[in-house]
Structures are given as C-alpha cells and as structure tokens.
Amino acid sequence: MHPELVLSPEQKEAWLKTRTGAIVGRKTADRFHWKIGDKVPIQSTIWSTAAGNRTWEFDIVGIYDGEKKGTDTTPLFFRYDYFDEVRQPGAKGLVGWYTIRVKDPAQAVEVAKLVDQEFENSSAETKTEPEGAFVQAWASQIGNIVLIVAAILGAVFFTILLVTGNTMAQAVRERTGELGVLKAIGFTNGQIVGLVLAESCLLTVLGGTLGLGLAWLVISRGDPTSGLLPMFFFPTRDLLIGLGLSAALGLVTGIFPALQAMRLRVADALRRM
C-alpha cells in the first residue's frame, strides 16, 4: 500500500511471522538508537490492554527507508491482529481508518462516494478522501499553517521591498553628479537604467543567497521543527525559486530609482556636484 517505504523481503517476512513485531522508519530508529531485535515499550494515551496496562511492547523486526528524500520515515507500524487481540474487549473490531488503493486515479472521487454510500446512515459512517486531504486535515489541527507562513513571508517581503527600495532611491540621489557625468560622456538612458537595476539585483541576490545558504545549513543539520514536520527538507527546486524571487525583488525595487536616473538632466545633475 505504501511503495515509497522500502523494506527488505527478509524483514517483511519476519514481520509477517512475528505477532508482536513492528517495523520502524530510519529516522525514528536513529533518534532512539533502535536496532533490529530490540524490544521497545510504547505508552499509549488512548488504548490500553485487557489488563488495563497502557504500555505496549513490540519487537523491532525491520527498519525501512524512504524511496525519496521527502518520504516520512518517522512512523512505527505494528500488526493489527496483535493489537486487536490484546486491547480491551469493548474496543475489539474497531478500525480508525482504511487505506484504499485506486487502480485509476481519475476515479478516486467516484470510489470515495461509493464507499461513503455503503456506510451511509449506519452506526459507522465513513468519510473517504484522498491521502493528501487527509494529511492536510491532520496538519490543520495544529493551526492554519499555510496562512501563518503566508502572513510571515508577506511581512518579510514587504519589509525587504521597503528597505531595498529606500536604499536604491538614496543611492541614486547621492550619486546624481556621477550619473550626470556618465550621461555627459555618452551613456544612454538604457545603460543608466541597466546600471541601477544591476546594482539593485546584486543587493537582493546577495542577501537572498546568504539567507538561503543559512537556511540550507540549518536544515541540513536536522529537522528544525523538532518532529512537528518530519518531512522537512530544502529541495533544490525551492532554492532556485528563492534565487529567482530575489532577482525579481531587485527588479521591482530598482525600477523606480532607475527611471528617476533615466529622466535626470545632465545640466541639473552637474549643477548638484
């Protein structure tokens, strides 16, 4: 059901033969220094055994890896038959959710409706949804992460826009005489605009590169969210997007000072020297 989780055939066979067996992701195994053959106790805040004990013991029989870098390798999986056999009698037979593999993704919505219709108006109604929506619903319990991140980034970009724009406007004002000399010796309006925009882009790209580099160094040392987002990593694509946004920010903040420099008259510029 989860082809992105890579487990050796020997460890999978051991899991199928061991009722108390469990497989754990590489990240969690490294975090707690677990290895195959360890017996680990896990305390549950919800489920207890028939004897009233909330501590469950599992035998680690396999450690799986992720097929890709972004694969979540923090969960621990154990067998449902063992869990259902040992837990309290009143909870036996209950299932939290099922994972369904759809042969044709285009029919996912239709399959979801058919499943919900099967249990409609019963004591165990279902809510069938894609895996992405399911994960997003869990994340939304923490808060509207998308809105929070968007608000923070919006404030940051607006501040950078003001600071960089003010810096470039001041730079043009302070070098009015120099710009007048450049125009006097034959620099065209297009070349003047290009020089100002190049300086603006250089400032923003240098700042963006420094910020992205520091972020990459922090993330490469481990999950900076302390387990809140176990799949947290910095893809190369996002690094390139960050550099592109830095360059675009330089163009936006430099365009008005560049136009101001272009409209500058040589006589007025030389008079201010």
Side-chain angles (χ1 to χ4, degrees), residues 113-158:
K113 290 181 179 179
L114 291 174
V115 173
D116 291 339
Q117 289 175 5
E118 187 72 20
F119 297 92
E120 193 174 10
N121 298 323
S122 70
S123 59
E125 292 189 9
T126 60
K127 180 184 179 182
T128 309
E129 57 189 357
E131 185 179 10
F134 176 77
V135 174
Q136 186 176 2
W138 275 91
S140 64
Q141 296 179 9
I142 304 173
N144 194 335
I145 298 178
V146 176
L147 179 60
I148 294 173
V149 173
I152 294 174
L153 291 179
V156 170
F157 271 98
F158 182 72

Side-chain angles (χ1 to χ4, degrees), residues 21-173:
I23 60 173
V24 64
R26 180 70 61 184
K27 189 170 185 177
T28 299
D30 292 342
R31 178 184 177 187
F32 296 105
H33 307 288
W34 290 347
K35 60 183 182 299
I36 295 177
D38 287 351
K39 183 180 289 291
V40 298
I42 297 181
Q43 186 175 12
S44 171
T45 58
I46 302 176
W47 302 105
S48 61
T49 64
N53 188 3
R54 290 187 178 273
T55 301
W56 297 73
E57 289 189 349
F58 300 98
D59 297 300
I60 303 299
V61 297
I63 299 176
Y64 64 86
D65 294 289
E67 185 180 24
K68 298 180 180 179
K69 187 176 181 179
T71 303
D72 183 9
T73 57
T74 59
L76 178 144
F77 295 95
F78 52 85
R79 291 175 49 154
Y80 174 78
D81 54 357
Y82 164 68
F83 172 70
D84 195 50
E85 176 186 343
V86 178
R87 64 177 167 173
Q88 292 178 329
K92 289 184 181 295
L94 297 179
V95 177
W97 60 77
Y98 289 96
T99 303
I100 304 174
R101 179 181 294 173
V102 182
K103 185 176 181 179
D104 183 6
Q107 297 180 341
V109 176
E110 181 182 353
V111 172
K113 290 181 179 179
L114 291 174
V115 173
D116 291 339
Q117 289 175 5
E118 187 72 20
F119 297 92
E120 193 174 10
N121 298 323
S122 70
S123 59
E125 292 189 9
T126 60
K127 180 184 179 182
T128 309
E129 57 189 357
E131 185 179 10
F134 176 77
V135 174
Q136 186 176 2
W138 275 91
S140 64
Q141 296 179 9
I142 304 173
N144 194 335
I145 298 178
V146 176
L147 179 60
I148 294 173
V149 173
I152 294 174
L153 291 179
V156 170
F157 271 98
F158 182 72
T159 303
I160 295 175
L161 187 68
L162 291 179
V163 173
T164 309
N166 180 68
T167 301
M168 290 307 305
Q170 184 177 355
V172 170
R173 287 194 298 268

Side-chain angles (χ1 to χ4, degrees), residues 1-24:
M1 295 303 297
H2 298 280
E4 71 276 9
L5 306 182
V6 181
L7 182 69
S8 68
E10 296 79 11
Q11 295 178 8
K12 180 179 179 181
E13 185 66 23
W15 189 30
L16 296 177
K17 291 181 178 179
T18 309
R19 290 180 63 79
T20 58
I23 60 173
V24 64

